[in-house]
Amino acid sequence: RRESSASPTRSPVMSAILRASRAAVTRVAARQVAGRQFASPAAIKLGKILAQEAQHEKEQYEEPPIVKQFLKDAPWKFEEKTGEVNLSLTREVAEKTKVVVEWQLSSPTDMPEDDEEAGPAVPFTITVTKPSGVSAVFYCSTERGDSHRYVIGNVSCYATEEEANNQAAYTGPEFEDLDDKLQESFDEYLAELGLEEKMCDFIDATAADKEQREYARWLANLQKFAL
């Protein structure tokens, strides 16, 4: 027996449901296309302002000359990653002792109000780790001056890596409470490691430069978001 090739007859109710579904799908697709093609007035305004600011930053940006000069003459390895706020210098000294200087980008809003030309002080740490695992951490900050370009807040010392990672570990006394001769000895020790005026200039310059570059990247990402 031959089977009929004609399509099965739909009920009026089923036909109405199918027509309504197709219409709903068409409306959703139309809204999606319209959303991609036509931005709101506020989004258009935001995009224009972001583009103007990004262009301004691009025209104003110039890498500080000290960045290449310092790295050319100094035995340090400089590290920083796009999208992150951390910066570091690393070197190895006698007897495989590792020295790591770490700091972060600094915002122009950190600049002291009473000295606009000076720029913000940049906190940094110097971690010195011996092969045995014992380490010392110097908590410092740059400061403006003709000769002494940094101050030490305190000095921590840890017998093991585990102790160094312990948030409850003793961090040492205030540096200014130490005997003057001990303070002087610490300064001389850091000078031997390479902490000098040029390094402080490098820390200040790269902290500000990193903030400017990350701000430009932030603007670029926002432009993509506003499209």
Side-chain angles (χ1 to χ4, degrees):
R1 187 179 62 179
R2 295 182 179 179
E3 296 183 357
S4 175
S5 60
S7 301
T9 303
R10 299 189 180 95
S11 68
V13 174
M14 180 60 69
S15 297
I17 291 174
L18 289 173
R19 286 197 298 273
S21 299
R22 292 192 188 101
V25 170
T26 301
R27 287 195 297 272
V28 171
R31 285 198 297 269
Q32 291 176 340
V33 172
R36 288 194 296 266
Q37 293 179 346
F38 304 101
S40 69
I44 294 174
K45 180 180 179 181
L46 175 61
K48 289 182 178 179
I49 294 176
L50 286 170
Q52 292 171 0
E53 181 69 8
Q55 182 63 29
H56 173 74
E57 287 297 313
K58 183 178 180 180
E59 293 173 353
Q60 294 294 316
Y61 177 74
E62 183 178 352
E63 184 184 58
I66 190 176
V67 175
K68 292 181 179 179
Q69 293 173 0
F70 177 82
L71 295 176
K72 179 182 178 181
D73 301 332
W76 297 90
K77 178 183 179 182
F78 179 52
E79 293 183 301
E80 57 105 356
K81 294 182 179 179
T82 301
E84 297 185 3
V85 301
N86 300 321
L87 305 98
S88 68
L89 287 169
T90 306
R91 68 174 295 191
E92 191 174 281
V93 294
E95 300 178 355
K96 296 184 179 180
T97 297
K98 185 178 181 181
V99 183
V100 181
V101 184
E102 297 174 290
W103 67 102
Q104 295 185 337
L105 58 75
S106 63
S107 171
T109 57
D110 295 334
M111 187 178 298
E113 296 181 0
D114 58 343
D115 193 355
E116 295 182 357
E117 296 183 358
V122 179
F124 64 96
T125 61
I126 300 180
T127 303
V128 184
T129 306
K130 297 292 185 68
S132 62
V134 64
S135 63
V137 183
F138 297 81
Y139 295 88
C140 309
S141 178
T142 62
E143 70 169 1
R144 295 295 166 176
D146 296 331
S147 56
H148 205 71
R149 285 278 283 107
Y150 68 91
V151 292
I152 303 174
N154 64 292
V155 183
S156 301
C157 191
Y158 307 105
T160 63
E161 182 178 356
E162 181 180 0
E163 184 180 350
N165 294 329
N166 183 359
Q167 297 296 323
Y170 177 59
T171 58
E174 292 293 323
F175 189 75
E176 62 182 12
D177 293 336
L178 298 176
D179 181 81
D180 290 345
K181 291 183 179 180
L182 185 54
Q183 293 185 37
E184 184 179 344
S185 295
F186 275 129
D187 277 329
E188 292 174 353
Y189 177 72
L190 291 180
E192 284 189 352
L193 294 179
L195 181 55
E196 56 183 359
E197 182 179 354
K198 289 183 179 180
M199 177 182 285
C200 292
D201 291 342
F202 178 82
I203 291 174
D204 284 340
T206 52
D209 178 69
K210 177 67 169 175
E211 197 282 333
Q212 188 174 1
R213 288 187 288 112
E214 289 301 330
Y215 176 62
R217 182 175 180 272
W218 176 79
L219 288 172
N221 288 338
L222 274 179
Q223 282 185 275
K224 297 176 182 178
F225 170 78
L227 291 178

